[in-house]
Amino acid sequence: MSDEILREEETQDYSEILQIRRDKLAKLCQEGRDPFTETRFTRTAYSTQVKDDFEAWEEKDVSMAGRLMSKRDMGKAFFADIMDDKGRIQLYVRINDLGEEAFAEFKKWDIGDIIGVE
């Protein structure tokens, strides 16, 4: 393929992605859930703290926040990575732990979204 055709396809793909993101934003706003309003989330640990001393954190409730970097769908579970100010950590998200409604919401999140997890 020529470079011109490749650039045209990339632009078309980018336009489709933007439209999907805009549609998701519009739906959230219609539901009264504006993602751009300021929200508070209390973080109890950074990714590196948990990874560097896992045994100390193992039996504790932990709250972390970061940017969603990857999601791998396994049907009734996901593996996901979030990156915070200190590093990156993997999450294991199961429908059995979240419940169907919260799991369905998680499935809608996109790479790049900023999330908080407990």
Side-chain angles (χ1 to χ4, degrees):
M1 274 192 220
S2 72
D3 288 344
E4 186 176 319
I5 292 172
L6 286 174
R7 280 192 298 273
E8 188 177 312
E9 286 180 2
E10 287 175 359
T11 301
Q12 192 174 21
D13 289 344
Y14 184 66
S15 295
E16 288 177 40
I17 291 168
L18 283 176
Q19 188 59 53
I20 290 168
R21 299 286 289 187
R22 287 183 181 129
D23 292 346
K24 285 183 177 186
L25 174 61
K27 187 168 190 239
L28 284 172
C29 290
Q30 287 173 350
E31 295 170 354
R33 300 170 48 207
D34 182 356
F36 298 111
T37 58
E38 186 175 332
T39 58
R40 310 268 311 147
F41 184 81
T42 303
R43 176 187 313 194
T44 61
Y46 287 94
S47 59
T48 52
Q49 291 173 299
V50 174
K51 290 191 309 186
D52 292 346
D53 194 12
F54 182 76
E55 289 179 9
W57 293 92
E58 191 170 8
E59 297 298 322
K60 296 180 181 177
D61 290 335
V62 178
S63 300
M64 290 187 278
R67 187 171 297 277
L68 187 60
M69 302 303 290
S70 69
K71 274 175 48 176
R72 291 166 301 287
D73 187 351
M74 308 302 236
K76 294 187 178 186
F78 275 87
F79 285 97
D81 290 331
I82 60 169
M83 185 182 309
D84 62 18
D85 299 348
K86 309 288 184 188
R88 193 171 180 144
I89 195 163
Q90 185 178 71
L91 310 175
Y92 179 59
V93 182
R94 292 184 336 146
I95 192 169
N96 294 354
D97 295 331
L98 289 183
E100 288 186 30
E101 187 175 327
F103 190 76
E105 282 297 313
F106 177 80
K107 289 174 84 167
K108 295 177 187 176
W109 294 349
D110 291 313
I111 304 301
D113 287 349
I114 298 172
I115 65 171
V117 297
E118 295 179 3

